[in-house]
Amino acid sequence: MAEIEKTPFIHRTRNKPIRVRFSETNVIVDLADGRAVAMPLYFFPRLETATDAQRQNYQLHHVSVRWEELDEGIDLIAMLTGLYTESEPVTVAPAVSAATT
């Protein structure tokens, strides 16, 4: 078995969401291992236009976050891998060149 096949893609506890917060332009999910992953709010128009109270009314699941009132959710596997559904925006902000980082 190849080494990559032995490595679990989604670790049961490391990738567990523990909190959601918002900046002016991003939704940020804090994970159990201390990492924080962010995505632009424009990927989630319902969250982008939601009130603070609506944004704070979420449920944490094993690999997702759900806002029932807004009929919105974030799949952490998609967030961690960059694999989005076709309904996600195609145009994104320009990437920073690896040579300049």
Side-chain angles (χ1 to χ4, degrees), residues 42-101:
Y42 67 79
F43 276 44
F44 309 99
R46 292 179 191 126
L47 286 176
E48 188 173 36
T49 59
T51 66
D52 287 338
Q54 289 173 315
R55 288 179 178 180
Q56 294 309 312
N57 187 21
Y58 60 85
Q59 300 82 40
L60 299 173
H61 301 282
H62 176 64
V63 289
S64 65
V65 181
R66 182 83 183 140
W67 290 263
E68 287 297 327
E69 178 184 356
L70 300 172
D71 191 29
E72 184 66 87
I74 295 177
D75 180 321
L76 291 175
I77 296 172
M79 202 173 186
L80 291 167
T81 62
L83 300 173
Y84 311 115
T85 64
E86 291 181 16
S87 64
E88 300 293 350
V90 175
T91 307
V92 295
V96 176
S97 169
T100 61
T101 57

